[in-house]
Amino acid sequence: ALDNSFYTSAFMLGSLNMHEKNLEESLLWFEYLQVLNPDDLNVVNNIAACHAGLGDISRAKAIWSSILAKDPNYELAKKNMDRYQNQ
């Protein structure tokens, strides 16, 4: 059986669901991981991407802004902010 507290497995489940456009399920996995490790910017970035994919662009942009406040050089957040700049 899958150990749901195992970080790598949960990250992969979030990623696979994101790839398959199951964004609500993906969001659940990444939010679970955020509880375990709130400073993981990859997880936070994926949460923002899920919100953007679900149509909540303003929430996604707020999350990406918070990432860039912590790490101004985080390239994925910069690219995502640029992508949604006019939305």
Side-chain angles (χ1 to χ4, degrees):
L2 179 64
D3 179 0
N4 288 338
S5 66
F6 188 60
Y7 185 89
T8 303
S9 297
F11 193 92
M12 291 304 298
L13 285 167
S15 298
L16 287 169
N17 278 289
M18 183 181 283
H19 178 75
E20 295 295 321
K21 307 280 192 256
N22 298 325
L23 298 177
E24 292 92 356
E25 181 73 18
S26 180
L27 186 57
L28 290 174
W29 285 108
F30 288 125
E31 286 176 337
Y32 167 76
L33 289 172
Q34 188 181 29
V35 170
L36 297 177
N37 191 358
D39 296 324
D40 187 332
L41 297 183
N42 291 319
V43 168
V44 179
N45 181 66
N46 286 334
I47 289 170
C50 286
H51 285 296
L54 291 167
D56 194 347
I57 306 300
S58 61
R59 186 167 183 185
K61 289 168 76 173
I63 294 169
W64 287 318
S65 291
S66 73
I67 291 172
L68 292 171
K70 292 178 185 175
D71 182 355
N73 296 315
Y74 189 81
E75 286 299 319
L76 290 174
K78 285 182 187 180
K79 288 179 183 177
N80 286 323
M81 285 292 281
D82 288 344
R83 180 179 180 189
Y84 291 98
Q85 180 179 351
N86 297 321
Q87 295 183 18

